[in-house]
Amino acid sequence: MSDTPLGRFCWNELMTTDPDAARDFYARIAGWGTSMWDGGEQPYEMWMNGEMPVGGLMELPAPEVPPCWLTYLSTPDLDSTMEKVKANGGTVLQEMAVPEVGRFAVIADPQGGVIAILEPEGETPGHDGPPGLAEFSWRELSTTDADAAWAFYAEVFGWEDEGRMDMGEMGHYQVFGRSGQPLGGIFNGPPEMPAVGWLLYVRVPDVHQAVETIKELGGKLLNGPMEVPDGDYIAQCMDPQGIAFAVHHTVEEGG
């Protein structure tokens, strides 16, 4: 029986119109390097946090695919998980296998949020426990029905309820996690929200400094910097290719 955990965030892939520009931009923001993996039919570029790969970088595979960060969840049984996705109102958009990596599928939840699932051949990427610097530290789903979206992910991936925060007229912010570790939140987006989707947060030494660098490099500040209830700081941004992401620092790092 596979020891791959169900529902771990294990990989993050940037699909962009300009990999060269993205490589330079995120190196300045997150401190990442890159490395080429030559194990498949085509070389694949990986984001590296020191010696640890944290994701991938690739040019958009098809014109109908929008530029985005795509995050992956692990599963010990891709076929079983895809059946649960469909049984709970989701959709399987694409399925494929990569030799020496594993099988994966891109899915949409019932409200249209897109995420990927991976059944790895070998060791599962990522780790449990608190995120380190230059790792993805939070994931946030803005959707049209937070209760329904939460029910879907809890049923399919076994995520745990880590509590709710009142957001006034917007409803509530549902925090979810695994093994007692909070991982992200689900909430109803405002009416002017352009689309349902996931926003990925990167842990940086100082959000305020990161925001200044983002603007200097041609990115945009969408919201923040702001203090969140635990005293950390966050800011939601857009890279020069128009892809949304966020930065986050902890109280200990940013002071």
Side-chain angles (χ1 to χ4, degrees), residues 3 5 18 36 57 84 95 97-98 130 133-134 162 171 176 209 215 218 229:
D3 58 0
D18 193 339
M36 298 303 298
L57 168 64
K84 290 190 75 172
E95 179 189 353
V98 177
L133 271 174
E162 295 289 340
F176 62 84
Q209 182 178 338
K215 292 188 289 187

Side-chain angles (χ1 to χ4, degrees), residues 5-12 53-54 70-75 114-118 124-129 135-141 153 157 159 176-178 181-186 198-200:
L6 176 65
R8 173 197 284 176
F9 285 100
C10 63
W11 198 247
N12 309 278
V54 293
L70 178 66
T71 193
Y72 286 68
L73 296 169
S74 62
T75 175
V114 174
I115 202 165
I117 48 179
L118 170 68
T124 307
H127 64 85
D128 294 318
E135 292 182 23
F136 290 88
S137 56
W138 198 253
R139 291 89 176 169
E140 205 165 65
L141 176 62
Y153 287 99
F157 297 106
W159 288 348
F176 62 84
R178 291 183 65 254
Q181 174 69 38
L183 298 174
I186 299 172
W198 286 92
L199 181 69
L200 308 187

